């Protein structure tokens, strides 16, 4: 009897099969098409084709100009230092913190603080961090005038230093929490506690257990996030404007400047640079994969040598030190932003502002309204579209009975990560060219579409596991009780999944808020978002205004997360089983 | 030469998990501790291994072959552990899993020989290169026990080792485990909620 009912319910549900098929195709089109077309239309000018500039003849001149450009060697140096340095260091730091702190109280504290840390947008953090490390920043103020003896800020270059160290550190502190989040979610799928238990009962030190038992199982789940961090660090523009070197800047900034140069012939050099940056990124990604292969080869030969002790045992205590620095820098940066945003006068070397006032906020408010509104609307709409597409894809997958709980095939993961593995600036110019041809530049539709490209992967990744592990029998019960499949889907499944859906939307919302380049290139200067405004102000000198904008950016992203927490709590205030 | 627990008390906050426990497990014997789920059986094993979570407080003394274990790092206690899940490492083959427990002083050839002998004695000849995922439940339990024993522990703890096995496998695996422990001649402590798991029908109630 029960089985018969189940079959009826299933067949009723699968009535939607054909219509759902459209979702994967639509999703792929929505976020792969712009990238592919954008790449092609960026490569064309690199080889001399740009009809807008009246040029349609094959030429290698853009590359010749690029390769002989006096800024190129320095730009490549900064790009490599910051890109590779930040990625390797954040991976090392995240794994070290995990290996040394797993299971401790500090480890739980880190887990709790990840969501707020991640909701602090990159640009806002970079501004706060620069308030810490600047020659007139909080760190030097804390030792001035005693014992440093400085009554004026020292003549040092700690912000935007030519070796890109400040940029590297900024990304290190910002990417480590992201990798930690990925580590947390990867570890939740392994039986870490008992693996450590078995390993130690066999006589192994905990560091050895991590390198030999846990990391080999964890790394496959970290690979793509790490490569995304690598691609991001090599090609980031907004952070490099705020805290990167300037003469010469990183390659990505150099390209951005060429694309915005009033002299239209610079577009060709920019396009050639965009292609070079793409090649640099692909080369780095390939090297990372080769390196991973070599390390795993060497490691698999040593894994059975039976050595129990680790040469780094004495350093285990440093894990909590690094973790506290990571948390401390984030908290201090945020605090510095808050203080500056309400400072009236705060002269060097005072540790606290002499006078507080809200006039920074009240003056900025009228300028803030529009960018906040534009940001929020673009973020909300792109998240909404993203969630519809993603849920559609999952439903289609479920109907094809192809879904295996907890497992996304590696191939489809690579596709989902694609927008995060290609430098934005390597295809955005091409999209801009195309939009100008079709006269679509600066429209709301294209703005939301381009945000969707970057929001979609994050929404997909954050929702995948919970959505796929939903017990489909709830919906079958709904259908068996007489609800039509669609009604059962909306009234049972979506409601039960409210919390994870809102959370993934909040993540997407934050991602959209933080977009800088896409807004700039697709918006034709018609859209000022909180992020474009914050970044353009960051080159200015009034820290109070910068702080107000950076905090507004943070508050906007935070609003998304708070909504995702508060809304379900109110909806299900009388339903205890829905609280967790 | 035995595992001696003397007035072990474990509490979480102010709640004491079970009455003070004292027992002696002589070599080659399997002492069975019985109790319903949630009575602190696994926590007791964790405390003997030195894996007690922060938050629990512990008192009493644990001694193995006359040496006190209290305060010793787990990796130096020489206490093996076997769970209901095999916890075989999925990135290593059968040989890799078993050789992982062998000491560093052995050469690669000695390790290969040792593992092969052990597999042959367990009726798993030629299984060395097999992927863990291709083993049956019974084969996994046997490999898991062999791995623990190859590390030459001075005592072994069994945490409901048979509860996830099929009814028809239980008898033979149980016999295998008890025989192997008898051969090693080390003390063993088993916690279970199934009184038929006991080797000789006797058990100590944990409450």
């Amino acid at each position: 009897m029960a089985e018969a009912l189940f079959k009826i319910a299933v067949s009723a549900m699968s009535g939607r099969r054909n219509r759902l098929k459209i979702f994967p195709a639509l999703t792929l089109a929505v976020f792969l098409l712009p990238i592919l077309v954008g790449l092609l239309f960026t490569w064309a000018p690199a080889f001399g084709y740009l009809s807008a500039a009246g040029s349609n003849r094959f030429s290698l001149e853009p590359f010749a100009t690029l390769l002989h450009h006096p800024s190129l060697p320095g730009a490549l140096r900064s790009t490599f230092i910051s890109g590779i340095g930040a990625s390797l260091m954040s991976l090392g730091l995240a794994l070290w913190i995990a290996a040394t702190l797993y299971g401790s109280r500090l480890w739980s504290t880190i887990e709790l603080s990840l969501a707020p840390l991640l909701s602090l947008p990159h640009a806002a953090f970079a501004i706060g961090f620069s308030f810490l490390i600047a020659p007139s920043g909080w760190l030097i103020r804390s030792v001035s005038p005693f014992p440093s003896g400085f009554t004026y800020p020292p003549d040092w270059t700690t912000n935007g230093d030519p070796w890109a160290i400040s940029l590297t550190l900024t990304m290190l502190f910002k990417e480590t929490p992201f990798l930690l989040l990925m580590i947390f979610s990867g570890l939740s799928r392994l039986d870490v506690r008992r693996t450590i238990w078995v390993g130690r009962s066999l006589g192994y030190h905990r560091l050895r257990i991590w390198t030999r038992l846990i990391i080999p199982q964890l790394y496959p789940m970290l690979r793509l996030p790490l490569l995304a961090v690598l691609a991001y660090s090599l090609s980031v523009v907004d952070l490099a404007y705020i805290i990167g070197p300037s003469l010469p800047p990183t390659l990505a900034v150099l390209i951005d400047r060429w694309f915005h140069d009033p002299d239209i012939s610079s577009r060709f050099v920019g396009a050639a640079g965009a292609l070079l940056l793409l090649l640099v990124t692909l080369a780095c990604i390939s090297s990372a994969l080769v390196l991973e292969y070599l390390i795993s080869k060497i490691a698999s030969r040593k894994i059975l040598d039976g050595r129990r002790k680790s040469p780094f045992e004495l350093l285990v205590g440093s894990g909590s030190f690094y973790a506290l620095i990571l948390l401390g820098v984030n908290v201090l940066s945020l605090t510095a932003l808050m203080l500056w945003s309400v400072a009236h006068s705060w002269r060097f070397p005072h540790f606290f502002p002499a006078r507080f006032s809200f006039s920074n906020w009240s003056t900025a408010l009228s300028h803030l309204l529009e960018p906040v509104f534009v940001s929020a609307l673009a973020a909300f709409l792109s998240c909404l579209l993203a969630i519809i597409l993603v849920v559609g894809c999952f439903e289609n997958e479920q109907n094809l009975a192809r879904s295996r709980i907890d497992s996304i095939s590696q191939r489809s993961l690579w596709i989902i990560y694609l927008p995060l593995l290609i430098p934005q600036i390597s295809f955005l110019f091409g999209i801009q060219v195309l939009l100008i041809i079709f006269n679509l530049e600066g429209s709301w539709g294209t703005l939301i579409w381009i945000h969707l490209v970057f929001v979609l992967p994050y929404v997909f990744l954050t929702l995948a596991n919970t959505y796929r592990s939903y017990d489909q029998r709830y919906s079958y019960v709904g259908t068996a009780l007489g609800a039509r499949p669609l009604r059962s889907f909306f009234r049972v499944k979506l409601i039960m999944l409210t919390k994870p859906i809102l959370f993934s939307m909040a993540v997407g919302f934050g991602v959209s808020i933080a977009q800088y380049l896409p807004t700039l290139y697709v918006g034709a200067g018609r859209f000022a978002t909180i992020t474009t405004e914050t970044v353009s102000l960051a080159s200015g000198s009034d820290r109070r205004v910068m702080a107000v904008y950076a905090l507004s950016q943070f508050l906007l992203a935070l609003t998304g997360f708070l909504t995702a927490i508060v809304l379900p709590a109110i909806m299900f205030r009388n339903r205890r089983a829905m609280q967790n | 030469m035995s595992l001696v627990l003397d007035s072990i008390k474990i509490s979480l906050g102010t709640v004491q998990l079970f009455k003070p426990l004292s027992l002696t497990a002589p070599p080659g014997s399997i002492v069975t501790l019985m109790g319903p789920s949630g009575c602190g059986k696994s926590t007791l094993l964790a405390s003997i291994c030195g894996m007690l979570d922060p938050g629990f407080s512990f008192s009493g003394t644990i001694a193995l072959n006359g040496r006190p274990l209290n305060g010793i790092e787990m990796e130096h206690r020489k206490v093996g552990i076997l769970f209901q899940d095999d916890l075989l490492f999925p990135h290593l083959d059968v040989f890799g899993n078993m050789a992982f427990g062998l000491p560093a002083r052995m050469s690669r050839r000695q390790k290969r020989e040792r593992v092969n002998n052990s597999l042959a004695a367990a009726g798993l000849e030629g299984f060395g290169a097999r992927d863990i995922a291709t083993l049956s439940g019974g084969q996994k339990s046997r490999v898991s026990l062999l791995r623990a024993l190859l590390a030459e522990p001075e005592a072994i703890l069994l945490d409901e080792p048979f509860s996830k096995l099929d009814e028809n496998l239980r008898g033979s695996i149980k016999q295998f485990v008890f025989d192997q422990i008898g051969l090693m001649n080390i003390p063993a402590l088993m916690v279970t909620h199934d009184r038929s798991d006991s080797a000789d029908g006797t058990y100590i109630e944990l409450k």
Side-chain angles (χ1 to χ4, degrees), chain A residues 103 105 191 193-198 200-206 212-213 216-217 303-308, chain B residues 45-46 49 51 53 73-75 79 81 83 85 87 89-92 95-96 100-102 104 111 147 151:
Chain A
R105 291 221 172 106
D191 193 343
R193 193 182 121 82
R194 291 197 300 172
T195 302
I196 292 177
W197 190 337
V198 169
R200 292 184 74 184
S201 82
L202 297 174
Y204 284 84
H205 187 264
R206 68 182 288 163
R212 296 189 167 182
L213 299 181
Q217 298 181 58
I303 197 167
L304 295 179
D305 68 8
R307 294 218 187 124
R308 274 29 180 198
Chain B
L45 294 192
C49 283
M51 278 292 287
D53 281 328
E73 286 289 336
M74 175 180 179
E75 49 265 42
V79 176
I81 177 92
F83 294 105
D85 306 289
L87 286 178
F89 311 131
H91 59 299
L92 298 174
F95 169 75
F100 196 80
L102 290 173
K111 282 181 183 169
R147 177 179 70 184

Side-chain angles (χ1 to χ4, degrees), chain A residues 413-474:
Chain A
L413 260 186
W414 275 94
I415 295 179
I416 292 157
Y417 264 96
L418 200 66
L420 312 179
L421 298 177
I422 296 178
Q424 291 187 341
I425 203 159
S426 294
F427 64 93
L428 281 174
F429 179 68
I431 292 182
Q432 190 183 39
V433 169
L434 205 66
L435 291 179
I436 293 174
I437 293 175
F438 290 106
N439 207 9
L440 284 167
E441 215 194 5
S443 71
W444 269 101
T446 47
L447 180 75
I448 287 159
W449 187 2
I450 200 71
H451 277 226
L452 183 59
V453 171
F454 301 101
V455 166
L456 205 61
Y458 285 100
V459 171
F460 187 99
L461 292 169
T462 39
L463 190 59
N465 284 339
T466 17
Y467 201 94
R468 285 175 167 153
S469 55
Y470 169 80
D471 192 341
Q472 197 62 32
R473 289 174 306 178
Y474 282 114

Side-chain angles (χ1 to χ4, degrees), chain A residues 131-158:
Chain A
F131 289 175
L132 287 189
I133 62 165
S136 59
W138 233 13
L139 290 184
I140 292 185
R141 283 168 194 256
S142 70
V143 293
S144 300
F146 180 79
S148 69
F150 296 133
T151 45
Y152 289 98
D155 186 18
W156 299 341
T157 317
T158 47

Side-chain angles (χ1 to χ4, degrees), chain A residues 557-570:
Chain A
L558 197 64
T559 309
F561 280 100
L562 289 180
T563 313
I565 294 169
V566 172
L567 206 60
I570 296 175

Side-chain angles (χ1 to χ4, degrees), chain A residues 458-539:
Chain A
Y458 285 100
V459 171
F460 187 99
L461 292 169
T462 39
L463 190 59
N465 284 339
T466 17
Y467 201 94
R468 285 175 167 153
S469 55
Y470 169 80
D471 192 341
Q472 197 62 32
R473 289 174 306 178
Y474 282 114
S475 296
Y476 296 149
V477 169
T479 318
L481 290 173
R484 280 180 316 158
L486 258 184
R487 187 178 151 84
S488 160
F489 168 74
F490 280 110
R491 299 298 293 270
V492 180
K493 188 167 185 177
L494 278 195
I495 300 284
M496 283 181 71
L497 289 172
T498 304
K499 225 168 159 174
I501 285 176
L502 284 180
F503 180 74
S504 70
M505 283 179 79
V507 171
F509 191 82
V511 169
S512 169
I513 296 293
Q515 294 303 320
Y516 171 69
L517 277 190
T519 314
L520 222 55
Y521 277 75
V522 169
R526 254 169 255 168
F527 295 105
T529 65
I530 187 67
T531 299
T532 59
E533 295 295 283
T534 305
V535 176
S536 69
L537 275 170
S539 52

